[in-house]
Amino acid sequence: GAVVSQHPSWVICKSGTSVKIECRSLDFQATTMFWYRQFPKQSLMLMATSNEGSKATYEQGVEKDKFLINHASLTLSTLTVTSAHPEDSSFYICSAKTSGNQETQYFGPGTRLLVL
Amino acid sequence: AQSVAQPEDQVNVAEGNPLTVKCTYSVSGNPYLFWYVQYPNRGLQFLLKYITGDNLVKGSYGFEAEFNKSQTSFHLKKPSALVSDSALYFCAVRDMGTGRRALTFGSGTRLQVQP
């Protein structure tokens, strides 16, 4: 089956630093990847849709200058949390969509970010 | 706008008994429907999907779901629950009547299977 990896799986950083999270589709090409944020005991909230070779589409209320997304290849999308603050602490999950009519989103294992 | 409702925060069932996790949806066009399972501190694992065709969809780990257009439901079922099925389950929909490619998720239902 389709496998999506994320790196790192967890990160602790100081307030004000930037953190980069990588999302890779390991055995398929993904023209579209998605970034979600999940708060404890809550559902997934879509942050942005990442399109290979073009700008990401951000959901309402998500600061694009705060959460930089780069989708440089068909197998890699990165999310950079710039100048992280404690309120950015969360579980970040990416997904990659297979192409065609039988499309399915496959999710990465998530990255837990703790900003001190 | 598309939306998904999972009316139960938690479902408790005894091992060996059948289980049902409920999901209803609202879309403007035809729905693509999905079920995912999440274990603690992990990402989501794909269980099954309905795109078109048979209303009864079979998926991973013995799970199945029935698409009911008139009731706009897509309930997840399993004939005999296992303790290892205990996890958080999410229903999701993509509204093919819009240009939106992302999924909208329900709030999740925690399944607890007692031995």
Side-chain angles (χ1 to χ4, degrees):
Chain A
V3 179
V4 176
S5 70
Q6 271 183 252
H7 179 80
S9 56
W10 60 269
V11 58
I12 302 173
C13 68
K14 293 182 179 179
S15 185
T17 60
S18 293
V19 175
K20 180 186 281 188
I21 303 170
E22 292 186 351
C23 177
R24 293 181 185 272
S25 56
L26 297 185
D27 50 2
F28 67 100
Q29 293 184 331
T31 54
T32 305
M33 292 184 172
F34 302 90
W35 286 95
Y36 295 85
R37 186 172 177 176
Q38 186 180 31
F39 292 100
K41 298 184 180 180
Q42 293 190 27
S43 188
L44 280 71
M45 300 300 297
L46 179 68
M47 297 175 65
T49 301
S50 172
N51 306 296
E52 188 267 336
S54 64
K55 292 182 179 180
T57 305
Y58 289 82
E59 294 298 295
Q60 191 172 11
V62 178
E63 299 175 58
K64 60 182 179 182
D65 295 330
K66 172 78 172 175
F67 299 99
L68 299 178
I69 290 172
N70 183 279
H71 194 157
S73 77
L74 289 172
T75 59
L76 173 64
S77 175
T78 61
L79 168 69
T80 300
V81 183
T82 62
S83 186
H85 291 284
E87 58 265 29
D88 298 325
S89 299
S90 192
F91 193 50
Y92 292 88
I93 306 176
C94 74
S95 71
K97 187 176 76 69
T98 57
S99 59
N101 292 330
Q102 299 301 313
E103 60 174 58
T104 299
Q105 281 190 37
Y106 292 93
F107 285 78
T111 297
R112 186 160 299 283
L113 171 63
L114 177 61
V115 185
L116 302 176
Chain B
Q2 58 195 34
S3 66
V4 178
Q6 292 181 244
E8 303 153 317
D9 289 338
Q10 181 157 325
V11 170
N12 298 309
V13 65
E15 187 175 29
N17 282 0
L19 68 88
T20 299
V21 182
K22 296 179 180 177
C23 171
T24 59
Y25 65 91
S26 176
V27 295
S28 60
N30 290 322
Y32 282 8
L33 292 154
F34 303 82
W35 275 101
Y36 289 88
V37 60
Q38 185 180 34
Y39 295 97
N41 298 310
R42 302 288 299 276
L44 274 66
Q45 294 180 29
F46 169 74
L47 278 181
L48 52 80
K49 66 183 177 184
Y50 171 82
I51 303 293
T52 185
D54 268 346
N55 289 341
L56 184 62
V57 178
K58 294 187 183 296
S60 306
Y61 313 119
F63 285 94
E64 59 187 31
E66 185 164 12
F67 170 64
N68 188 316
K69 188 173 183 178
S70 62
Q71 297 185 6
T72 61
S73 67
F74 190 57
H75 302 328
L76 180 70
K77 299 183 179 185
K78 186 173 182 180
S80 178
L82 300 172
V83 173
S84 57
D85 293 331
S86 298
L88 187 57
Y89 290 80
F90 289 100
C91 181
V93 68
R94 181 182 168 192
D95 186 350
M96 300 310 292
T98 71
R100 185 175 172 83
R101 291 169 292 168
L103 297 177
T104 297
F105 285 84
S107 54
T109 298
R110 187 164 301 280
L111 174 66
Q112 194 69 42
V113 181
Q114 282 110 14

